[in-house]
Amino acid sequence: MSATATTEKKYLKWYQKLAYGSGDLASNCSYGLVSSFVLLYLTGTLGLDSAIIGSLMLASKVLDGISDVIFGTLIDRTHSKLGKARPWMLFGQVGVSLCLFLLFAIPAGSTTMQYIYFFIVYTALNAVFYTANGIAYSSLVALITKNNNERVQLGSFRFMFAVVTNIFMGFAVTGMVEKFGSGAAGWRTTALIFAIVGLVVNTISCLAVKELPEEELSGNTSEAAEEGKAVAEEKKHGFAETAKILVHNKYYLMILAIYIVYYIMSNLTTGAGVFCATYYWGDGSRLGQCSMMKMFPVIIALAFAPVLIKKTGSMQKVNFWGYAISSVLGIPMIYFAMQKNLSMFLLFMFIKGVFAGTLSGSLNALIAEASGYTTRTTGVHMDGKMYSCSSLGVKVGGGIGTAAVGWLLKLGGFVGTATVQSESAIRMIFNLYITFPFVIGIIITVLLAFLDVEKANKKWDAEHQKEAQA
């Protein structure tokens, strides 16, 4: 079979792509609720200290990070009727939904016990169940299709669902809490609803697709393999050897770095958004507008990203230039924010988001390319472990970003009970929501400039095809 035929072969129906993408709706029923609202619940309803909560979150993420490679290894070693990844995705969500409800149902009692309860449930949610579910879900991209364009489409579908879910939650959650009685009871009922929705949608997403046979996945990973050159026999690898292989793949490290800084940026804006709307723009309802202008452009970007990538033949080019232009547009956005010109600020936020949004739909496909690079250069097939960078990056970056909001607000002199905040507190809120994310965007642009994994794979294939023909 020729390389062209392999590339053009289609593995998925349209409804399978849609069903797979809906898995990010399920994922964000938990991730979105926790990242955007758990601080508000803990400080506003329970009266806990935001800086302490931030520190506990970061401590939890240390444990969370350790579990990523462990679950990646377990997924790679799984052999079942459902395949490698789907069992973990299916049953991991049961634990996610249970812990999500428990997290927003902290019982009354001593403050110390509430902190302990929070830490245990938050860690179980993230380090165990969300990790198992998330790595398995991401791994499916490489296990259900070998068509690179389909992989990009899957990434686009999943992030469209993620964006829509987060926009909906931004407008609906606080209203739902009030409708269901406000206070602890309102949060408890709201969390239960999202836990059930997440469980149902995840099950549909998981069962709607089917993993390819292992012999097909391992037998067609490179040009050389297509021409009949034997790929090194897959072996069992221990934790130390696995970690060594990962850290020697520079593309894995680059993608991991992108995930971490991206989710630091994301959680800074998510956590600081309500504070910026309330204390800088002077109206808490502005949060809905800001969230819409931040997230809706991603949907537009994801709609045309597969076309651009197919036309240019390079995910790196599309993503690099998108982020480069987005970074330049950040300058007038900051200017209009400083002038308190909300309309122009939102306009530039929207345009900026369109250019930066293509990355969201292609990151998983880039991990698949990085995984292919490992297989080519080492003869080891380890998709589950490679996809640990997505879960690890999301949680480490998210943990740092969320914790930083609590720490830096306190450092800036923010007082939650005060009606009017100090100038230093307002300045810190501005930096958290606008300035710091701008700087991080520049860092992502630099990383993308060196992420030429597609080029490296093509070069390897060409060289080894010549050797096979010699």
Side-chain angles (χ1 to χ4, degrees):
M1 184 184 294
S2 66
T4 303
T6 301
T7 301
E8 294 178 348
K9 180 180 178 180
K10 298 185 184 300
Y11 295 84
L12 302 171
K13 306 288 186 181
W14 68 267
Y15 63 85
Q16 291 178 303
K17 299 175 187 177
L18 189 66
Y20 174 84
S22 71
D24 232 309
L25 185 158
S27 177
N28 279 277
C29 280
S30 56
Y31 182 81
L33 191 65
V34 173
S35 63
S36 298
F37 298 100
V38 75
L39 253 176
L40 180 61
Y41 161 69
L42 294 170
T43 57
T45 301
L46 301 183
L48 300 180
D49 184 272
S50 63
I52 295 176
I53 291 298
S55 299
L56 291 175
M57 286 179 172
L58 190 58
S60 176
K61 294 303 180 184
V62 174
L63 300 175
D64 200 357
I66 295 173
S67 69
D68 284 88
V69 176
I70 294 175
F71 277 106
T73 301
L74 290 174
I75 289 170
D76 282 334
R77 293 181 178 179
T78 297
H79 301 277
S80 72
K81 291 182 179 179
L82 287 175
K84 289 177 174 288
R86 289 198 299 162
W88 295 95
M89 177 181 171
L90 187 65
F91 298 112
Q93 181 63 41
V94 176
V96 169
S97 292
L98 176 61
C99 288
L100 180 64
F101 171 72
L102 293 176
L103 188 62
F104 285 87
I106 297 178
S110 73
T111 301
T112 300
M113 291 306 298
Q114 288 179 321
Y115 283 128
I116 294 173
Y117 178 101
F118 165 77
F119 181 77
I120 293 173
V121 176
Y122 183 81
T123 301
L125 170 62
N126 288 283
V128 181
F129 300 112
Y130 189 85
T131 296
N133 174 268
I135 294 180
Y137 178 50
S138 295
S139 297
L140 278 180
V141 171
L143 296 174
I144 62 178
T145 177
K146 296 192 298 176
N147 185 308
N148 197 53
N149 191 51
E150 285 186 335
R151 288 173 174 175
V152 174
Q153 290 175 342
L154 290 176
S156 297
F157 273 116
R158 68 174 290 186
F159 279 97
M160 284 181 188
F161 274 101
V163 169
V164 170
T165 305
N166 278 287
I167 289 175
F168 172 80
M169 295 179 83
F171 281 106
V173 168
T174 53
M176 291 173 66
V177 172
E178 292 180 7
K179 182 178 181 179
F180 295 123
S182 298
W187 284 108
R188 193 164 53 243
T189 304
T190 300
L192 178 61
I193 291 173
F194 281 107
I196 294 173
V197 171
L199 184 60
V200 172
V201 174
N202 180 83
T203 301
I204 294 172
S205 176
C206 181
L207 298 181
V209 297
K210 185 177 181 180
E211 296 180 28
L212 298 174
E214 291 186 35
E215 57 271 17
E216 182 174 358
L217 289 170
S218 61
N220 297 279
T221 56
S222 69
E223 192 76 35
E226 291 293 337
E227 298 298 327
K229 184 175 181 179
V231 177
E233 183 181 355
E234 184 176 354
K235 302 178 293 182
K236 300 294 183 182
H237 297 275
F239 179 83
E241 190 175 359
T242 295
K244 184 178 179 180
I245 293 173
L246 291 178
V247 299
H248 278 82
N249 185 334
K250 63 181 180 179
Y251 299 114
Y252 172 87
L253 297 178
M254 287 181 197
I255 295 174
L256 175 60
I258 289 173
Y259 263 104
I260 290 175
V261 296
Y262 179 88
Y263 278 93
I264 289 175
M265 176 177 67
S266 177
N267 280 266
L268 285 177
T269 55
T270 299
V274 67
F275 299 102
C276 188
T278 302
Y279 298 103
Y280 187 77
W281 297 114
D283 183 356
S285 65
R286 301 292 188 190
L287 176 61
Q289 292 176 284
C290 291
S291 297
M292 182 71 79
M293 293 300 102
K294 174 188 172 186
M295 297 180 179
F296 190 69
V298 180
I299 298 178
I300 297 176
L302 294 179
F304 63 71
V307 177
L308 284 177
I309 292 171
K310 187 175 183 180
K311 186 173 183 179
T312 61
S314 172
M315 290 180 280
Q316 182 202 17
K317 289 181 180 178
V318 172
N319 292 324
F320 169 74
W321 285 110
Y323 251 87
I325 295 171
S326 175
S327 295
V328 173
L329 292 171
I331 297 173
M333 188 189 78
I334 293 176
Y335 170 78
F336 287 117
M338 294 174 65
Q339 298 298 313
K340 290 202 171 183
N341 187 331
L342 181 61
S343 298
M344 292 301 295
F345 168 76
L346 292 175
L347 176 62
F348 274 91
M349 176 184 278
F350 181 89
I351 300 173
K352 186 175 182 295
V354 171
F355 283 98
T358 58
L359 181 63
S360 298
S362 55
L363 264 177
N364 270 357
L366 284 168
I367 300 174
E369 288 286 336
S371 182
Y373 181 79
T374 293
T375 303
R376 287 167 169 84
T377 56
T378 68
V380 179
H381 197 80
M382 49 189 299
D383 293 301
K385 304 178 192 73
M386 289 300 301
Y387 274 89
S388 67
C389 68
S390 63
S391 181
L392 177 60
V394 167
K395 289 179 289 188
V396 171
I400 293 173
T402 301
V405 173
W407 295 338
L408 294 175
L409 282 176
K410 194 165 187 177
L411 182 64
F414 178 81
V415 180
T417 56
T419 304
V420 179
Q421 297 296 329
S422 66
E423 184 179 341
S424 63
I426 297 296
R427 190 182 310 116
M428 181 60 75
I429 290 170
F430 182 93
N431 288 332
L432 281 168
Y433 191 69
I434 299 172
T435 309
F436 296 162
F438 168 73
V439 175
I440 293 174
I442 295 175
I443 295 173
I444 293 175
T445 304
V446 173
L447 289 169
L448 288 171
F450 295 96
L451 190 59
D452 59 345
V453 61
E454 299 157 283
K455 183 178 179 180
N457 283 340
K458 290 177 182 177
K459 181 180 178 181
W460 193 97
D461 289 344
E463 290 175 350
H464 286 75
Q465 183 181 32
K466 291 179 181 178
E467 291 178 8
Q469 294 174 344

